[in-house]
Amino acid sequence: MSVAVLPRLPADRTDKDAFVSYSQLSAFTLRSIEPVGPQYLSHARRALRGRTWSEDER
Amino acid sequence: MNIVNGADSAEGATAVIGISFGNGNSSIAFPAKDGKVEVIANQDGDRSIPSVLAYVGEDEYHGFQGKAQLIRNSPNTIVNFRDFIGKSYAAIDPTYSHRSAHPIEQDGIVGYKIVLSSEEDAQPEFISVAEIAKRHLARLKDSAFDFLGKPITGAVIAVPTDYSSSQRQELTKIAEAAGINVLQIIQEPVTALLAYDVANNGVFSEDRIVLVADFGASRSDGAVIAVRGGMYTVLATAHNYELGGSALDQALIDHFAKEFEKKHGIDPRTESARSFAKLASEAEVTKKTLSASNSATISIESLAGGFDFHSTINRLRYEMLARKVLDNVASFVEELVHKAGLDVLDIDEVVLAGGSSHTPKIVSRIESLFPETTKIEAPATSAKALNPAELVARGAAVQASLVQEFEKSDIVESMQPVVTNAPHLSKPIGVLLGDGTFATMLDTYTAVPIRKAKTFEAPKDGGDIIIEIWEGDSEIVTKGLEKPKENGDGHGGNEEDDFDEEGDFDDDEEDEEREKVVKPVTKIADAGLKGVKAGAKIEVIINITADMKVSVAARELGGQAVRGKIESPDVVK
Ligand SMILES: Nc1ncnc2c1ncn2[C@@H]1O[C@H](COP(=O)(O)OP(=O)(O)OP(=O)(O)O)[C@@H](O)[C@H]1O
Ligand SMILES: [Mg+2]
C-alpha cells in the first residue's frame, strides 16, 4: 500500500481548526461475540465493570 | 511422539485441560510452558483417541483397543455417540452405528443393549448414552492425570456450533459426573482458530476474515469468523452429516471389495460383519498412508471365504475413486462463503481442521477455490501448520489457561447475552487519503465498544490539512489481463494435478482478474488541522462506546487535538 498521506485543507474552508459532522453511520447489526480468547476477557470486563479503554491497558 | 514430562511442563501442583470430544476421536491438551500448549498421549501412546468403548466380559476397552473390537465383537462395541448426547431417540441419526452396537430407546432414554458379563447365559443390559459418554470422559481425564501426574482441576470442552443448549447442559452434567469440573463449553471452529492465533501471534491477532472447515470422521462443519480487535464473531456456519472421512473410507472399501469379488466371487462387504469390519479397518489405514505417500499396500489375512487379500493403490487412483466426495468438499466450502454473504476474495485465511484435512487433495481442492492471497493453514500447504486433528484440543487448552484463575461464577457471567451480544459495524469506517483512496480504520463486523488509533502522514511540506472520515463499501472489480494465464491453477498445485483427466481447474482459465477494493461512499465528518510541520505524523483516534456513541480526535503528534462527535445511528438491525 502507498504511504498514507492526508489531503490538504481546501482553501475556502472557513473554520480551519474545527470538526464538522455531516452524517451518521449506517445502522449497526446486533451479533454475538464468541466468549473465547484473551481479548474477549477484556471486553467482558469493560461490559460488566464499565471499565474504560485507558484503565484497561492491553 | 512428543511425550512431555508433566512435572517439568505446566507449573503448579494442579492442571487444567482442553478436551476435544469428537464422534470419531477425542484429544486432550494442556497449557505447558511459555504460553504453549501440548497434546497429551494416552496410556497407549495415542494423541487422537478413538471415542469408542467395547465390552468383552467384564473388561472395558477404550480408544484404539475399543475400536479394534469392531472386528471381533461389534455388537458390544459402541461408537459415534457424541452427537446423541441430549437428544431423543427420534432425533438421532443412527447411520454410523449400523456396524456396531445399535442405539435403542428404553424409558425415553437413548442407549445400547450390551453384554457386560462373562457368565455363560449373560443377558444384554441397557446402558445409556450418558453413561457411555461419562465413562469415555472419565478415561480421558485419567489419561490426563497419568500423563501430567497431578490432579486435573478444570476443563474446557469444545462442541460443534449446532450443539443445542440442552445438549451443552447435558454434556456438562455428564462431564461433572465423570469428575470433570467444566470451566466452559466453547464452539469447535472458534477453538480451532484460537489454537492458530495463539501459536502464530502470542496474544494479539490481526483483523481478518477466516473460514474454518473441519472435516472429521462422520461429518463436516464450517464457520466463517470475523476477527476484529482479537475478538471472534461467527458470521455463518454450515454442516454436512454425510460428508467426512467415513465417506472417503467407503470409496476405498467399495474399490477393494470389487477387486476381491472379481478374484474370489465373494463380496466382503456382505459376507459377514467380521469381513466388512476387517476391510473397513484396513481401508482407513490405507487412506491415511495415501495422505503421506504416493502409494499404499493393503494386506488382510483371511478376509472372506478363507482367502487373504493383498493389493496396492496409488494416490491418483484413490483421488479418482473419491472424486465425488472431494467435489462435495469443495462445494461445502463454496456454499459456506455464500451463506456468509461474502465472496472468496473476502476470505483472508482458511483454517483446515479435523483428521480428514490431512488429505492432500482436500487441501488442494479448497486452495483452488480461493485467490492466491488467501492463506491456507493445512499441513499440505505450510510446514508450520499444526496437526488439524489436534487443533480443537489445543484451542480448548488455551482457553482453559485463560479462564483457570477465574471463579466459575465470573466465567458464567462473562458468557451472558449482555456481554456476548454487541452492535457490530455494518460498513467500514476510514480516512480519505490525498490520492482519493480509502484507508480503513474500523472494518465491517467490528463490535463495540471499540477504540482504534492510526497514524497518517502530512504532505512533505506540511501546512493546513484535512482529515475526512468516511464510511466505505467493498466492491469486487474485474480487470482484464494482458495475456491469459498459462494454467488456471493459481496456486501451483502438485504435479499429479496435471494428470487429472477432467481437470479441476478448467473453469479457472479466465483472462481477467477479480479484485476487492474498498471505496469511500458517505462522508461522515471532517477535521481541519492548521499549520502542521513538514513531514508531521497525524494521529486519528475513533472511539465508539457500547451504546454506539462515536467520537473522533485528530492531532499532530505532540500537538493539540481537534475533537468532535458523530451522531450515532438510531437503529440496530
Ligand atoms: N493422515 C490422515 N489422512 C487422511 N485422513 C485421516 C488422517 N488421519 C485421520 N484421518 C481421518 O480423519 C477422521 C477423523 O477425524 P477427527 O478425529 O477430526 O474426527 P471427529 O472430530 O472425531 O469426527 P466428527 O467430526 O465426525 O465428530 C477419520 O475419518 C480418519 O480416518
Ligand atoms: Mg470433529
Side-chain angles (χ1 to χ4, degrees):
Chain A
M1 204 176 97
S2 55
V3 191
V5 179
L6 294 167
R8 292 186 187 285
L9 191 74
D12 56 357
R13 171 129 166 168
T14 43
D15 241 347
K16 292 212 186 314
D17 263 330
F19 184 93
V20 185
S21 162
Y22 301 98
S23 104
Q24 60 182 32
L25 297 176
S26 298
F28 288 66
T29 35
L30 198 61
R31 295 177 185 271
S32 177
I33 313 170
E34 294 297 311
V36 163
Q39 306 304 323
Y40 181 81
L41 292 172
S42 314
H43 168 83
R45 270 200 302 276
R46 281 190 292 274
L48 290 166
R49 313 266 176 265
R51 292 176 60 127
T52 65
W53 288 89
S54 37
E55 281 168 346
D56 208 85
E57 78 293 66
R58 323 212 257 158
Chain B
M1 203 137 298
N2 187 8
I3 308 254
V4 178
N5 182 344
D8 71 17
S9 49
E11 271 107 84
T14 61
V16 292
I17 54 172
I19 299 177
S20 160
F21 177 6
N23 288 302
N25 303 287
S26 297
S27 300
I28 343 158
F30 70 101
K33 268 189 190 162
D34 311 324
K36 294 213 160 48
V37 292
E38 304 270 353
V39 180
I40 290 171
N42 71 358
Q43 291 84 345
D44 300 331
D46 300 315
R47 289 148 63 108
S48 190
I49 304 159
S51 307
V52 180
L53 285 166
Y55 293 89
V56 183
E58 273 84 28
D59 296 326
E60 180 186 82
Y61 294 91
H62 180 242
F64 269 106
Q65 294 191 31
K67 198 171 173 178
Q69 292 297 326
L70 279 174
I71 294 172
R72 265 157 259 142
N73 193 13
S74 59
N76 263 347
T77 305
I78 302 165
V79 304
N80 215 78
F81 49 87
R82 197 270 321 264
D83 284 353
F84 295 173
I85 291 171
K87 279 192 177 169
S88 69
Y89 186 74
I92 64 166
D93 171 8
T95 308
Y96 294 101
S97 307
H98 280 341
R99 310 277 185 180
S100 58
H102 295 267
I104 56 151
E105 183 178 28
Q106 183 171 305
D107 305 326
I109 296 170
V110 186
Y112 306 86
K113 282 271 195 185
I114 302 291
V115 179
L116 296 165
S117 145
S118 52
E119 304 267 304
E120 224 176 281
D121 52 356
Q123 291 302 307
E125 294 170 44
F126 181 79
I127 180 163
S128 68
V129 162
E131 176 62 24
I132 287 298
K134 186 194 98 182
R135 293 181 186 188
H136 170 60
L137 289 170
R139 288 286 200 131
L140 296 180
K141 188 195 166 201
D142 287 350
S143 296
F145 175 73
D146 285 357
F147 188 91
L148 295 167
K150 49 189 165 188
I152 310 301
T153 51
V156 169
I157 308 178
V159 295
T161 54
D162 65 347
Y163 231 52
S164 68
S165 62
S166 60
Q167 284 188 291
R168 283 164 163 254
Q169 270 165 32
E170 175 75 1
L171 176 61
T172 307
K173 227 170 75 190
I174 291 169
E176 305 273 346
I180 296 170
N181 172 32
V182 180
L183 301 172
Q184 200 182 354
I185 303 264
I186 59 178
Q187 313 217 73
E188 285 179 350
V190 188
T191 312
L193 177 54
L194 180 64
Y196 263 114
D197 274 357
V198 167
N200 289 344
N201 312 294
V203 286
F204 189 74
S205 45
E206 256 175 68
D207 280 7
R208 65 212 197 280
I209 305 277
V210 185
L211 185 147
V212 179
D214 182 337
F215 300 105
S218 61
R219 53 185 281 174
S220 297
D221 299 273
V224 175
I225 303 169
V227 185
R228 301 290 186 243
M231 288 199 288
Y232 306 107
T233 298
V234 174
L235 303 179
T237 59
H239 310 282
N240 185 328
Y241 308 104
E242 268 132 49
L243 185 61
S246 298
L248 293 170
D249 295 345
Q250 193 61 49
L252 284 175
I253 292 168
D254 292 342
H255 167 74
F256 291 131
K258 281 179 205 148
E259 194 177 317
F260 186 86
E261 191 175 15
K262 217 181 253 170
K263 251 192 219 147
H264 305 292
I266 305 167
D267 184 343
R269 290 170 297 187
T270 49
E271 176 66 6
S272 69
R274 192 182 171 105
S275 54
F276 177 89
K278 276 183 164 181
L279 180 56
S281 166
E282 288 308 313
E284 187 182 5
V285 173
T286 305
K287 175 190 75 174
K288 290 184 188 176
T289 305
L290 288 169
S291 289
S293 323
N294 274 319
S295 73
T297 58
I298 179 167
S299 198
I300 306 170
E301 257 176 59
S302 183
L303 174 56
F307 298 109
D308 297 347
F309 179 61
H310 301 285
S311 186
T312 64
I313 183 166
N314 66 28
R315 192 190 281 174
L316 188 59
R317 188 72 206 273
Y318 162 56
E319 287 167 354
M320 267 150 55
L321 296 170
R323 169 143 225 139
K324 191 112 207 299
V325 182
L326 295 163
D327 285 346
N328 291 341
V329 162
S331 43
F332 176 77
V333 170
E334 275 184 312
E335 279 161 26
L336 174 56
V337 175
H338 294 148
K339 211 170 159 191
L342 297 176
D343 187 277
V344 288
L345 292 174
D346 293 312
I347 308 295
D348 301 300
E349 185 180 352
V350 174
V351 168
L352 291 178
S356 299
S357 289
H358 278 293
T359 312
K361 196 69 176 175
I362 285 190
V363 180
S364 64
R365 282 296 299 267
I366 291 173
E367 197 178 23
S368 70
L369 301 174
F370 291 93
E372 257 175 88
T373 45
T374 304
K375 189 173 171 197
I376 312 281
E377 305 273 22
T381 52
S382 153
K384 283 199 297 185
L386 299 169
N387 182 341
E390 295 178 350
L391 286 176
V392 172
R394 284 177 174 279
V398 169
Q399 184 65 15
S401 76
L402 292 173
V403 298
Q404 64 180 331
E405 302 129 46
F406 289 88
E407 296 289 328
K408 265 269 259 304
S409 57
D410 286 341
I411 302 173
V412 171
E413 194 185 19
S414 79
M415 292 179 76
Q416 286 170 354
V418 294
V419 191
T420 56
N421 286 346
H424 287 59
L425 293 186
S426 56
K427 297 273 164 63
I429 304 172
V431 170
L432 193 72
L433 300 180
D435 61 3
T437 58
F438 179 88
T440 303
M441 282 195 59
L442 290 170
D443 219 333
T444 319
Y445 312 120
T446 299
V448 302
I450 186 81
R451 193 178 97 120
K452 185 75 177 256
K454 202 168 167 147
T455 307
F456 298 89
E457 289 187 21
K460 279 208 177 61
D461 54 351
D464 298 349
I465 57 157
I466 186 156
I467 294 112
E468 297 192 9
I469 309 287
W470 286 68
E471 199 172 67
D473 221 341
S474 77
E475 231 175 71
I476 307 289
V477 294
T478 314
K479 53 179 189 195
L481 284 187
E482 327 270 270
K483 59 169 186 218
K485 269 199 241 167
E486 279 160 36
N487 123 22
D489 177 11
H491 276 287
N494 55 30
E495 278 172 24
E496 279 153 20
D497 289 335
D498 295 337
F499 294 98
D500 218 88
E501 284 143 63
E502 287 155 50
D504 289 342
F505 306 108
D506 283 0
D507 46 350
D508 246 26
E509 16 90 303
E510 53 205 23
D511 42 14
E512 41 187 34
E513 200 166 81
R514 296 168 73 246
E515 198 185 20
K516 186 179 134 175
V517 287
V518 184
K519 292 189 168 150
V521 176
T522 312
K523 187 168 170 183
I524 302 295
D526 63 20
L529 276 186
K530 227 171 44 178
V532 303
K533 285 193 215 75
K537 299 250 183 290
I538 312 296
E539 185 188 55
V540 179
I541 300 173
I542 299 178
N543 191 63
I544 309 179
T545 61
D547 48 4
M548 295 172 285
K549 295 211 163 57
V550 190
S551 57
V552 178
R555 66 186 175 112
E556 180 179 349
L557 283 185
Q560 277 292 324
V562 173
R563 294 171 197 281
K565 287 202 188 313
I566 294 165
E567 222 181 302
S568 49
D570 27 40
V571 260
V572 177
K573 277 188 281 188

